[in-house]
Amino acid sequence: MDKIIQITSGRGPAECDWVVAQVLKKVLEEAPVYKISATVLHREAGQENGTVVSAIVALQGKEVATFTASWLGTVQWIGKSTFRKFHKRKNWFIGIFEIEPQKAFRFSEKEIQYQVMRSSGAGGQHVNKVSSAVRAIHIPTGISTVSMDSRSQHQNKKVATERLMQKLQEAEKEQYQNQFQQVWMNQMQIERGNPVRTFEGTDFKKEKKENKNKKERQNGKKQIRDAINR
């Protein structure tokens, strides 16, 4: 299985860019534990040294779904700013999103189906009687093109193939544009709260574990209060 994730500061301040860099390191360190291969596909450096605005990582392995799920969402870092000494804020948030993998538009003549048909339109008796027009269909995507420019079936096949290649390139370009749009939208959708993971300290080594029993007790108290107020 393959997964692609984006780690982003959401256009936040330099402190968030620093957190992205630290989380990226954590992901790359933790992946081998799950026997997952992690490859950085794209990394946008921040303005401050050692910071990252956004990183896109490809993950491969049998446990990739479990590993990815453990990171998706908001990641919180609790600590004093490493860039602004007297800044009072201590809670910083970044986001990790899953990106839909792109379909590979590999071009192979074996994946093309050709259909011969009669040309239509003006051209005299020859056009109406001879099947010279050619439709080229790329089987994996269903994208097709037609050429009826020439009376030669061989020439029309060549032209239809060239047009098909051009269409596939345009479709691939459109996919890239859609992916970049998704990445941009991710920058705007970071939730400041409900973190899936929380880290503390300037060394970023301490991960704060949520106390599930405490959360259950709080939920129980809330239910009791709600019952009393009814």
Side-chain angles (χ1 to χ4, degrees), residues 57-69:
V57 184
L59 303 169
Q60 293 179 315
K62 291 183 179 180
E63 300 297 324
V64 69
T66 302
F67 178 75
T68 303

Side-chain angles (χ1 to χ4, degrees), residues 14-15 20 39 64 92 102-103 124 160 162 181 203 212 221 227:
E15 289 83 1
V20 170
T39 305
V64 69
W92 312 90
Q102 290 186 342
K103 296 178 182 178
E162 290 173 351
Q181 180 67 24
D203 58 1
K212 293 184 178 180
K221 290 179 181 179

Side-chain angles (χ1 to χ4, degrees), residues 126-181:
H126 176 80
V127 172
N128 295 326
K129 292 180 180 179
V130 179
S131 298
S132 60
V134 176
R135 173 181 283 114
I137 306 169
H138 187 238
I139 298 172
T141 61
I143 295 173
S144 66
T145 57
V146 175
S147 174
M148 55 181 69
D149 302 31
S150 172
R151 291 185 178 183
S152 167
Q153 188 181 116
H154 176 76
Q155 183 62 25
N156 281 333
K157 181 179 178 180
K158 180 181 178 182
V159 173
T161 303
E162 290 173 351
R163 289 175 178 172
L164 183 61
M165 290 178 64
Q166 185 177 0
K167 261 196 171 184
L168 288 172
Q169 289 173 353
E170 291 172 355
E172 187 173 25
K173 183 179 179 182
E174 184 177 349
Q175 268 201 357
Y176 276 115
Q177 290 174 340
N178 291 338
Q179 189 178 51
F180 288 144
Q181 180 67 24

Side-chain angles (χ1 to χ4, degrees), residues 3-227:
K3 295 281 187 181
I4 299 178
I5 61 171
Q6 181 197 14
I7 309 169
T8 175
S9 64
R11 303 299 173 184
E15 289 83 1
C16 293
D17 295 345
W18 181 82
V19 177
V20 170
Q22 304 310 309
V23 169
L24 177 59
K25 290 179 184 177
K26 287 287 183 183
V27 170
L28 297 179
E29 289 171 359
E30 193 174 302
V33 178
Y34 288 79
K35 297 182 179 179
I36 290 172
S37 170
T39 305
V40 179
L41 302 178
H42 174 75
R43 187 195 320 242
E44 181 184 346
Q47 292 185 352
E48 298 291 341
N49 187 36
T51 64
V52 178
V53 174
S54 175
I56 296 176
V57 184
L59 303 169
Q60 293 179 315
K62 291 183 179 180
E63 300 297 324
V64 69
T66 302
F67 178 75
T68 303
S70 72
W71 279 102
L72 291 180
T74 300
V75 176
Q76 180 184 15
W77 174 60
I78 302 172
K80 294 183 67 175
S81 170
T82 55
F83 305 106
R84 293 177 283 180
K85 186 176 180 181
F86 300 104
H87 197 66
K88 294 182 179 180
R89 180 176 168 184
K90 292 184 178 180
N91 292 289
W92 312 90
F93 300 94
I94 68 163
I96 300 183
F97 302 88
E98 184 174 355
I99 296 177
E100 192 70 26
Q102 290 186 342
K103 296 178 182 178
F105 286 95
R106 296 188 181 94
F107 185 81
S108 171
E109 291 239 9
K110 295 179 181 179
E111 297 177 334
I112 302 175
Q113 179 182 359
Y114 294 99
Q115 295 178 351
V116 179
M117 55 189 181
R118 290 189 177 184
S119 299
S120 60
Q125 292 183 351
H126 176 80
V127 172
N128 295 326
K129 292 180 180 179
V130 179
S131 298
S132 60
V134 176
R135 173 181 283 114
I137 306 169
H138 187 238
I139 298 172
T141 61
I143 295 173
S144 66
T145 57
V146 175
S147 174
M148 55 181 69
D149 302 31
S150 172
R151 291 185 178 183
S152 167
Q153 188 181 116
H154 176 76
Q155 183 62 25
N156 281 333
K157 181 179 178 180
K158 180 181 178 182
V159 173
T161 303
E162 290 173 351
R163 289 175 178 172
L164 183 61
M165 290 178 64
Q166 185 177 0
K167 261 196 171 184
L168 288 172
Q169 289 173 353
E170 291 172 355
E172 187 173 25
K173 183 179 179 182
E174 184 177 349
Q175 268 201 357
Y176 276 115
Q177 290 174 340
N178 291 338
Q179 189 178 51
F180 288 144
Q181 180 67 24
Q182 181 183 351
V183 168
W184 175 255
M185 291 299 294
N186 288 345
Q187 306 277 17
M188 305 293 112
Q189 295 175 359
I190 294 178
E191 182 182 2
R192 266 57 176 182
N194 300 320
V196 293
R197 295 201 185 194
T198 300
F199 295 90
E200 295 180 291
T202 54
D203 58 1
F204 216 81
K205 291 182 178 179
K206 184 179 179 182
E207 183 172 354
K208 185 178 179 181
K209 300 294 184 181
E210 183 181 357
N211 189 330
K212 293 184 178 180
N213 292 332
K214 180 180 179 181
K215 188 174 182 180
E216 289 174 359
R217 289 198 301 270
Q218 288 176 340
N219 289 336
K221 290 179 181 179
K222 184 178 183 300
Q223 290 175 359
I224 293 172
R225 287 198 303 269
D226 292 342

